[in-house]
Amino acid sequence: MVTFPVGGMSCASCAGRVERALNGVSGVEKAAVNLAMAQATVSGAVPLDRLIAAVREIGFQVPVVTESFAIQGLSCAACVAKAEKAMSALPGVMHARVNLASQEAVVAHVAEVVTFEALRDAIGTVGFTLIRTRPDEEPIDLAEAERQREQSLIRGRLVIGAALLIANMVVMHWHGLPHADWWQFALVTPVQFWVGWPFHVSAWAALRHGGANMHSLVTVGTFSAYLYSVLVLLAPGLFTARGVAAEVYFDSSGMIIVLILLGRFLEIRAKGRTSQAIRELMGLAPKTARVVRGGEEIDIPLKEVVVGDTFVVRPGEKIPVDGLILKGQATLDESMLTGESMPVERGKGEAVTGGTINRTGSVICKAVKVGRDTALARMVEMVREAQGVKPPIARLADRIAAIFVPAVMGIATVTFLAWFWFGPEPAFNYALLNFVAVLIIACPCALGLATPTSILVGTGRGAEHGILIRGGDALETAHKIDVVVFDKTGTLTLGKPVLTDWNGSEAHLALVAAAERRSEHPIAEAIVAGARARGLTLDEPTRFEAIPGHGVSAEVAGHALLVGTARLMQEHGVDLAGSEGAFKAVQQGGKSALLAAVDGVIIGVLAVEDGIKPRARQSVARLRAMGIKVVMLTGDGRVVAETMAARLGIEEVRAEVLPEQKVAEIQRIQAQGGVVAMVGDGINDAPALARADVGIAIGTGTDVAMEASDITLVSGDPMGVATAIQLSRATMRNIRQNLFWAFAYNVILIPLAAGVWFPWFGVLLSPIFAAVAMSLSSVTVVSNALRLRRFRVDPSGE
């Protein structure tokens, strides 16, 4: 999948044309165009240059940026050719030129597709080194740069257009001014041609490629009024001879252009705030890192940090990349990533995340993940992906937008003919004004912006709460959830169980712990930690097999070990006689009970307890207050599971469930008509997360679970489940409001502009007021979407 910017789109019909063009390219599986973000997302094995060519062929642009870099290691013309070839081979690089004399590379590329890291790696494969000319240079945010450039250009045209219109108003009301109509012509002509030039260019580009857009409506409408006025000015007798008043409408033409330009200016300003969340996330990472190289601490640009580097973080500084603490203790503020306000303690051996702030203490860390692999970079990427994917609700607006502009052209033409043939005198004037009003009042922009702007703000607000929503489908589906299924370990519990009891010998415990050494399961880690805490020495197993949902089978020091459930023992023919009492006693105490066998004989019972997460019970209570049924799935025995469920306030429990059975449980609930969210954190939860209507992964869990999920809770706090559903409800409510007003606006005002109500109420809509309404419609939709930035968690669950 590739995402790249598209320039020149002004309305939903533009986005629809680009989307159809991309979907028409051979090899494209699916293409989606986001008007609010001005970008296209395409999946399929298609070269990027073919996609760019398809976009440009229909009159739109793919913005390209040119950057200069220093390049080291060049010594001959052959080196230059190798370097140019390596960079040019990257998808998104339009051309690369290398200068041997200046040791400089100039690369023209699609900024949101090609990164400095990709260029550097490509150059590295042929033996050269690429260096930023300015090491502290910020990554290019092409979308924001393009938005600011367009806003600046519009501001200039708007100021001049407004000044000319004010002068025109003075002329119109200057009684007795000679040649007043000619003065209006002189003042409005620059407005029509220069101020309105962006509209006319866009309309002409669409026409050349057999299409039409919102600017087509503006161009046809304003030129109709302008050219009619010019004709009146040059040959008034053509009209007076037929009893038609020779009136000019220069003011309507100029006013429409300036008002629509003002609306566009306000819309661009408002849209700039919709992607604020991404810019804030990107700004979390520090610009430099203090690393230890050659025994000395040096500050280097963040992009030069590599995996394995040792870095130092002092109080008040940001953690530069993801790493592990080698030495020291620190109190970290992780609120910007997780949404949690309370700082957390981190010590030796614990993980730290890039972008978090070290409040107290100094630590020396080892870099584990850098660049695009860091948690912060992945968060940014997930938010970008979510904002670029269309939810199903957007398809309705897309279908309407595809036929909207031609339909409006047809309605305007019918309006003109009806007024010209059947209207009162001066019929032509009425026909012209209503024709222009219909063209101007119709605004496909509002339809095109209704959904993506809400998605932009909603997913951004989610990121601020530590909730990463992978796509529009998940955001739309989450508000329908009526059943939430929780995995227990690591989701509702801390996921760090502790070995509390062992009724066998220490020698046997050493064997059991040795068998568990290679397992990554939290219970295995608890057993190993418990054995080591007792000072036991653990051998390395010569054979190891994890049996998902049951336990482990291993060979240690020549002995066959089985550690796990009663079912595991029974399947291997181990006699449980004599162990049932101790096993049941542990379960009745609310702890996880495991049996251990050596060479086919039970040697003892282990008791492991996992503490409940601080806000797990509160999370369950909030979900139930929202009218959502809560179910707990666990591989633990029924007694332990029911004890834990009672403490959490969960009424429905599925115990002794294997990973494949979790999927079956999800399917069973879905078959009963439930919309299911599955919440889990482990590898064994991945199939169920993928099968559920919405998969919610705990961010402190495994990467596999997060990849299989639709929503990730970065902090690991189960309270985020209710917050995600509330956010989805608020976002969908906002989208429906936007779509309602976008549709209602056109349904109500197009007939008014056409003069349908004139025979009964004598009401007509001036083209100038039509322009005001048209501009306000888009601004209203974007402003309504921005209200989501005020989203707050409702403790009552409403």
Side-chain angles (χ1 to χ4, degrees):
M1 185 169 70
V2 63
T3 298
F4 57 92
V6 178
M9 295 189 299
S10 59
C11 63
S13 58
C14 296
R17 287 181 58 221
V18 175
E19 193 168 288
R20 288 192 295 275
L22 290 172
N23 278 310
V25 176
S26 177
V28 170
E29 295 173 3
K30 183 181 179 182
V33 177
N34 189 310
L35 174 63
M37 295 187 70
Q39 69 180 27
T41 301
V42 182
S43 56
V46 183
L48 182 60
D49 56 353
R50 284 179 56 195
L51 300 176
I52 293 174
V55 171
R56 290 177 172 172
E57 187 178 337
I58 58 171
F60 297 94
Q61 304 88 42
V62 175
V64 172
V65 65
T66 300
E67 289 188 277
S68 297
F69 307 96
I71 186 167
Q72 295 179 345
L74 300 175
S75 60
C76 61
C79 296
V80 170
K82 285 171 62 180
E84 289 181 346
K85 183 178 179 180
M87 289 188 289
S88 298
L90 286 175
V93 173
M94 308 311 291
H95 64 79
R97 298 289 181 268
V98 176
N99 189 308
L100 179 62
S102 63
Q103 300 281 294
E104 182 184 45
V106 178
V107 184
H109 62 90
V110 181
E112 294 182 19
V113 175
V114 181
T115 64
F116 168 73
E117 290 77 12
L119 290 167
R120 181 187 62 193
D121 293 345
I123 283 292
T125 60
V126 291
F128 308 115
T129 303
L130 197 69
I131 302 171
R132 285 190 181 275
T133 307
R134 290 172 49 206
D136 60 343
E137 188 175 347
E138 290 287 332
I140 294 174
D141 186 344
L142 190 60
E144 177 62 14
E146 180 66 17
R147 187 192 68 79
Q148 292 182 358
R149 185 191 70 82
E150 185 177 2
Q151 183 175 315
S152 177
L153 289 174
I154 289 178
R155 184 190 293 112
R157 293 178 187 272
L158 192 58
V159 169
I160 293 175
L164 290 170
L165 277 186
I166 291 171
N168 188 66
M169 295 296 292
V170 172
V171 168
M172 287 177 62
H173 294 88
W174 189 336
H175 298 292
L177 178 68
H179 310 298
D181 289 350
W182 284 98
W183 279 107
Q184 287 193 58
F185 168 75
L187 291 168
V188 171
T189 295
V191 177
Q192 177 67 37
F193 287 93
W194 184 77
V195 177
W197 184 250
F199 300 141
H200 309 325
V201 169
S202 175
W204 173 245
L207 180 63
R208 282 193 303 112
H209 294 90
N213 56 23
M214 185 270 288
H215 292 164
S216 303
L217 305 179
V218 175
T219 294
V220 172
T222 58
F223 266 108
S224 297
Y226 177 81
L227 294 176
Y228 173 78
S229 300
V230 170
L231 191 59
V232 167
L233 197 62
L234 297 177
L238 291 175
F239 302 91
T240 55
R242 293 172 173 79
V244 176
E247 297 180 7
V248 295
Y249 296 101
F250 290 118
D251 59 320
S252 296
S253 167
M255 189 74 74
I256 287 168
I257 287 174
V258 170
L259 287 173
I260 292 176
L261 204 61
L262 174 62
R264 178 65 177 159
F265 178 76
L266 295 174
E267 177 191 320
I268 290 173
R269 284 189 61 186
K271 281 169 63 178
R273 296 173 56 199
T274 61
S275 55
Q276 185 176 343
I278 280 187
R279 292 196 294 275
E280 288 177 352
L281 282 172
M282 293 176 68
L284 291 179
K287 304 296 183 292
T288 61
R290 184 178 296 110
V291 300
V292 180
R293 290 184 179 174
E296 295 184 2
E297 293 183 11
I298 58 171
D299 289 337
I300 64 172
L302 186 65
K303 295 179 179 62
E304 295 182 13
V305 178
V306 297
V307 173
D309 268 343
T310 299
F311 61 87
V312 180
V313 186
R314 296 181 179 134
E317 297 179 340
K318 289 183 177 181
I319 306 293
V321 296
D322 295 358
L324 288 175
I325 297 177
L326 301 176
K327 183 178 180 182
Q329 189 87 13
T331 302
L332 301 183
D333 179 357
E334 299 181 342
S335 60
M336 293 299 288
L337 284 174
T338 66
E340 293 298 316
S341 57
M342 291 296 293
V344 294
E345 297 289 334
R346 294 283 186 264
K348 182 178 179 181
E350 293 189 281
V352 293
T353 305
T356 55
I357 302 172
N358 180 16
R359 292 300 186 193
T360 61
S362 294
V363 288
I364 299 174
C365 308
K366 177 183 177 182
V368 175
K369 292 182 179 180
V370 301
R372 288 190 167 186
D373 295 328
T374 64
L376 179 59
R378 288 169 60 200
M379 280 182 66
V380 172
E381 189 59 30
M382 286 180 72
V383 175
R384 282 192 187 278
E385 287 179 7
Q387 293 180 342
V389 176
K390 288 184 180 180
I393 196 171
R395 295 168 192 158
L396 175 62
D398 287 348
R399 287 195 296 268
I400 292 176
I403 60 172
F404 190 85
V405 173
V408 169
M409 290 285 196
I411 293 170
T413 302
V414 170
T415 298
F416 179 87
L417 295 175
W419 278 93
F420 183 72
W421 287 334
F422 308 111
E425 292 298 332
F428 185 86
N429 292 37
Y430 278 119
L432 177 66
L433 290 176
N434 291 327
F435 171 77
V436 173
V438 170
L439 290 177
I440 299 305
I441 199 71
C443 182
C445 287
L447 284 174
L449 293 170
T451 299
T453 47
S454 296
I455 296 294
L456 277 170
V457 182
T459 51
R461 192 70 180 123
E464 292 170 4
H465 280 271
I467 300 168
L468 301 184
I469 303 169
R470 186 176 291 275
D473 284 16
L475 190 64
E476 179 169 344
T477 305
H479 84 285
K480 305 174 187 175
I481 291 170
D482 50 24
V483 180
V484 172
V485 178
F486 281 101
D487 172 57
K488 178 178 76 69
T489 304
T491 303
L492 292 170
T493 64
L494 294 170
K496 293 183 179 179
V498 178
L499 178 65
T500 59
D501 300 285
W502 164 249
N503 66 352
S505 68
E506 289 198 346
H508 280 151
L509 179 59
L511 289 175
V512 171
E516 295 280 10
R517 285 185 66 178
R518 291 188 186 175
S519 174
E520 295 180 354
H521 196 284
I523 289 179
E525 293 175 359
I527 295 171
V528 172
R532 284 177 171 161
R534 291 168 168 80
L536 302 179
T537 301
L538 309 184
D539 292 331
E540 185 69 26
T542 54
R543 179 184 61 81
F544 174 82
E545 178 188 2
I547 305 171
H550 289 304
V552 300
S553 171
E555 186 172 324
V556 181
H559 296 285
L561 270 293
L562 285 173
V563 185
T565 64
R567 185 183 300 179
L568 175 68
M569 301 301 163
Q570 292 168 348
E571 289 178 354
H572 285 76
V574 177
D575 185 4
L576 301 181
S579 62
E580 293 96 332
F583 190 79
K584 288 181 180 178
V586 170
Q587 288 184 321
Q588 289 169 352
K591 300 178 182 180
S592 295
L594 294 94
L595 295 164
V598 174
D599 298 326
V601 179
I602 297 291
I603 57 170
V605 178
L606 301 115
V608 177
E609 186 175 35
D610 188 7
I612 294 175
K613 285 188 174 181
R615 299 208 294 173
R617 183 177 178 84
Q618 187 180 350
S619 171
V620 172
R622 180 176 293 177
L623 288 168
R624 293 181 65 178
M626 294 166 64
I628 296 173
K629 180 181 178 181
V630 180
V631 179
M632 186 176 80
L633 294 183
T634 177
D636 279 345
R638 177 160 297 281
V639 175
V640 175
E642 289 178 348
T643 302
M644 181 68 72
R647 292 166 63 186
L648 288 165
I650 299 174
E651 296 181 352
E652 188 170 338
V653 183
R654 298 285 186 274
E656 301 177 2
V657 178
L658 299 177
E660 58 269 22
Q661 293 173 328
K662 289 183 180 181
V663 174
E665 284 297 323
I666 298 293
Q667 291 174 317
R668 181 187 63 80
I669 297 171
Q670 289 172 328
Q672 295 172 354
V675 179
V676 183
M678 171 69 194
V679 189
D681 75 318
I683 293 174
N684 62 350
D685 296 322
L689 288 168
R691 182 65 184 85
D693 297 289
V694 178
I696 303 177
I698 298 297
T700 51
T702 65
D703 289 347
V704 174
M706 287 187 276
E707 286 299 321
S709 67
D710 304 297
I711 297 174
T712 298
L713 308 180
V714 178
S715 67
D717 183 358
M719 186 65 76
V721 177
T723 302
I725 295 172
Q726 287 182 350
L727 177 63
S728 171
R729 290 178 176 180
T731 303
M732 293 309 299
R733 187 163 55 245
N734 190 273
I735 289 174
R736 290 193 186 101
Q737 291 167 355
N738 284 348
L739 287 173
F740 171 79
W741 288 114
F743 285 127
Y745 164 86
N746 287 292
V747 168
I748 294 170
L749 293 185
I750 288 180
L752 177 62
V756 170
W757 308 117
F758 183 79
W760 295 277
F761 305 106
V763 176
L764 286 176
L765 185 67
S766 164
I768 293 175
F769 288 112
V772 172
M774 179 269 195
S775 299
L776 288 178
S777 65
S778 295
V779 177
T780 300
V781 164
V782 176
S783 299
N784 186 54
L786 286 171
R787 290 193 308 110
L788 281 172
R789 289 195 58 79
R790 299 199 297 271
F791 169 80
R792 295 289 183 273
V793 178
D794 186 348
S796 69
E798 294 299 321

